[in-house]
Amino acid sequence: MSALVVLPTYQEAENIRDVLTRVRAVVPEANILVVDDGSPDGTADLAAEVGEELGQIDVLRRAEKSGLGPAYRAGFTWGLERGHDILVEMDADLSHDPEVLPQLIGAVTDGRADLAIGSRYVPGGAVPGWPASRRLLSQWGNRYVGLMLRMPVRDATAGFRAYHRSIIEKIGLERVRADGYGFQIEMAYEVSKAGGTILEIPITFRDRIRGESKMSPNIVTEALVLVTRWGIRDRVNRIRRAR
């Protein structure tokens, strides 16, 4: 199967060469697509240079920063149009260890999963260096997601994952509208509702060393509002069907 690793970037000039080199070394047969949202620091140009050196690396240049969800939708659409069978999400800041890529891709390739998630909150997963308050907030946020959406996923906000193209085609990218954490949750939710098999693989998530985080309170708030809205909507629909 042909795998495409999609790397959304904004202001990642300090990390892009390192992450591309490491991904290429671990999964040399995979293709890589850098989806850059108009980074003013030259991230896209650096990615293109590395692509010329290593091969099988493309750069999709977008005019402006528009969010994680739109970047992944654009990258997945690009990959589907070019016939890739497995589409991988991964951060470009090296908080996701490229060494786990063969496990994620392999779980989809061998049919164990339609969606394989690199999970911080299954046995073997870890978030070293996080203060207890941050870890508990993230864990309880994910528990709230599971409760509201009735979805048995321990780390629904995780951004390190691999999908089989068939499940993406089944749910339809045009139906997934959220950004940020909301995008990750909505994708997992749609896969679950479509009857797809979701497998969580333990990972160690490490905070970035170089560059600035793109996370903001607005992204977290958006996700919580969307989850609450989806949960209430689905409960109302179940009551209506029961009548």
Side-chain angles (χ1 to χ4, degrees):
M1 291 188 179
S2 172
L4 177 69
V5 179
V6 180
L7 291 169
T9 57
Y10 183 75
Q11 300 277 64
E12 293 292 353
E14 295 177 276
N15 295 305
I16 193 63
R17 176 174 290 276
D18 196 1
V19 68
L20 290 175
T21 301
R22 289 178 60 182
V23 170
R24 169 61 63 245
V26 174
V27 283
E29 72 285 357
N31 291 80
I32 305 171
L33 177 66
V34 175
V35 182
D36 187 71
D37 275 4
S39 297
D41 66 351
T43 298
D45 291 336
L46 288 171
E49 290 178 12
V50 179
E52 292 179 1
E53 297 170 12
L54 301 181
Q56 294 175 241
I57 297 173
D58 291 283
V59 180
L60 179 59
R61 299 173 186 258
R62 288 155 55 83
E64 59 185 8
K65 185 178 181 182
S66 57
L68 191 67
Y72 273 129
R73 284 192 288 271
F76 286 177
T77 298
W78 189 97
L80 292 172
E81 290 174 348
R82 286 157 181 79
H84 292 291
D85 304 296
I86 300 171
L87 301 169
V88 180
E89 292 185 19
M90 181 177 174
D91 288 350
D93 60 7
L94 292 171
S95 56
H96 296 146
D97 186 354
E99 295 292 334
V100 182
L101 282 169
Q103 296 179 56
L104 293 175
I105 294 172
V108 179
T109 300
D110 64 21
R112 285 180 292 144
D114 297 296
L115 165 58
I117 298 176
S119 177
R120 299 162 291 183
Y121 303 130
V122 293
V127 283
W130 277 23
S133 58
R134 181 181 176 188
R135 185 175 65 253
L136 287 172
L137 179 63
S138 179
Q139 287 178 318
W140 280 104
N142 273 285
R143 289 182 184 181
Y144 178 73
V145 171
L147 176 66
M148 288 298 295
L149 303 183
R150 298 185 177 184
M151 183 171 62
V153 175
R154 298 285 293 275
D155 196 356
T157 60
F160 196 15
R161 48 177 71 184
Y163 300 85
H164 195 284
R165 69 173 293 136
S166 61
I167 197 66
I168 292 180
E169 290 173 334
K170 185 175 183 179
I171 65 178
L173 280 175
E174 69 282 355
R175 295 171 53 194
V176 181
R177 308 305 298 270
D179 300 330
Y181 273 171
F183 174 80
Q184 311 294 14
I185 298 167
E186 189 175 11
M187 285 292 288
Y189 187 36
E190 291 297 331
V191 170
S192 179
K193 289 195 299 180
T197 301
I198 301 175
L199 176 67
E200 292 187 84
I201 295 172
I203 65 166
T204 297
F205 179 93
R206 302 183 187 278
D207 282 332
R208 66 163 64 234
I209 297 175
R210 300 183 297 262
E212 296 183 3
S213 173
K214 313 306 185 299
M215 183 54 58
S216 71
N218 289 340
I219 293 176
V220 177
T221 300
E222 177 215 34
L224 292 176
V225 169
L226 287 173
V227 167
T228 303
R229 182 185 303 163
W230 297 330
I232 293 173
R233 177 200 63 194
D234 291 352
R235 282 164 172 76
V236 170
N237 287 339
R238 283 192 292 269
I239 291 172
R240 288 174 175 171
R241 287 195 296 269
R243 290 174 178 173

